[in-house]
Amino acid sequence: MTIDRQKSWGYRRNANVGDFYDMDGLIDVLVKTVSRGGNILMNIGPTADGMIPPIYEERLRQMGKWLEVNGEAIYSTQPWHTEKEKNEKIWYTSKGNDVYAILLEWPKEGSLNLAAPVDTAETRVIWLGYTKDEPLKWQKGVSGGIRISLPRLYPHEIPCQWAWAFKLENVK
């Protein structure tokens, strides 16, 4: 993929800021591709003298920060038996016995309802990047799946600005 929405694989001198994906758009493409078993090559177009334009540098640094927090849900993962929830704002990856639910949009209520995972007696839910070293509280969902209680946080306590990953241990 290229950061340039105009699908240019090279530097465009006349490009405007609106011609480039924002981080929400880049992470959306990344998460959907990886959850389907794909790989991403993120292209940037340097200038004729080899300089990386500031907009590309900014997006690459932002993606690096996001991956520092959520990379566990991306790197070396495989598709899970369910790729996404019906609302298309929650996508899944897996690694070994762990499943990762990646939210592209924050839930409006104080909980996260996941229909696809089936809990076991050993199920634990961990929010990647959340600084408290304790699993999140969860319960069986009303119509199956699990319902995760999300902690109330100040903005500076949220692990990252875009898309959030939850590690689901011991689910089916």
Side-chain angles (χ1 to χ4, degrees):
M1 80 169 292
T2 179
I3 293 175
D4 189 332
R5 288 181 191 267
Q6 306 302 316
K7 307 295 185 217
S8 173
W9 289 85
Y11 174 70
R12 287 189 313 121
R13 182 176 303 140
N14 61 344
N16 298 312
V17 166
D19 292 343
F20 301 99
Y21 279 105
D22 61 10
M23 280 307 295
D24 288 321
L26 289 173
I27 290 173
D28 185 86
V29 171
L30 172 69
V31 168
K32 289 176 180 179
T33 301
V34 171
S35 73
R36 294 173 174 149
N39 296 306
I40 289 279
L41 167 65
M42 190 181 306
N43 178 67
I44 59 166
T47 62
D49 59 352
M51 299 295 294
I52 296 175
I55 189 76
Y56 291 131
E57 181 181 353
E58 178 184 59
R59 293 298 183 270
L60 291 173
R61 289 185 187 280
Q62 290 171 329
M63 183 62 77
K65 286 185 183 225
W66 188 82
L67 286 168
E68 281 178 16
V69 173
N70 299 291
E72 179 180 340
I74 300 295
Y75 296 124
S76 301
T77 60
Q78 298 179 352
W80 191 45
H81 62 70
T82 303
E83 76 176 17
K84 63 181 170 50
E85 290 287 333
K86 290 185 182 192
N87 68 8
E88 295 194 22
K89 295 297 179 186
I90 302 169
W91 292 74
Y92 293 102
T93 61
S94 66
K95 188 185 309 179
N97 293 329
D98 299 327
V99 174
Y100 299 90
I102 306 170
L103 284 64
L104 298 177
E105 186 176 286
W106 191 256
K108 298 199 180 349
E109 63 276 355
S111 62
L112 171 61
N113 295 303
L114 302 175
V118 177
D119 66 282
T120 66
E122 293 85 33
T123 295
R124 288 177 11 128
V125 177
I126 298 163
W127 183 4
L128 298 185
Y130 183 53
T131 56
K132 303 222 176 8
D133 290 331
E134 56 195 47
L136 298 179
K137 293 181 170 111
W138 66 273
Q139 61 190 12
K140 285 184 184 265
V142 175
S143 57
I146 62 174
R147 179 183 174 129
I148 302 166
S149 298
L150 299 172
R152 290 181 161 207
L153 301 173
Y154 292 105
H156 71 276
E157 295 176 307
I158 298 172
C160 57
Q161 282 183 264
W162 317 275
W164 306 269
F166 293 81
K167 181 179 182 178
L168 312 174
E169 296 178 347
N170 304 306
V171 296
K172 299 179 197 172

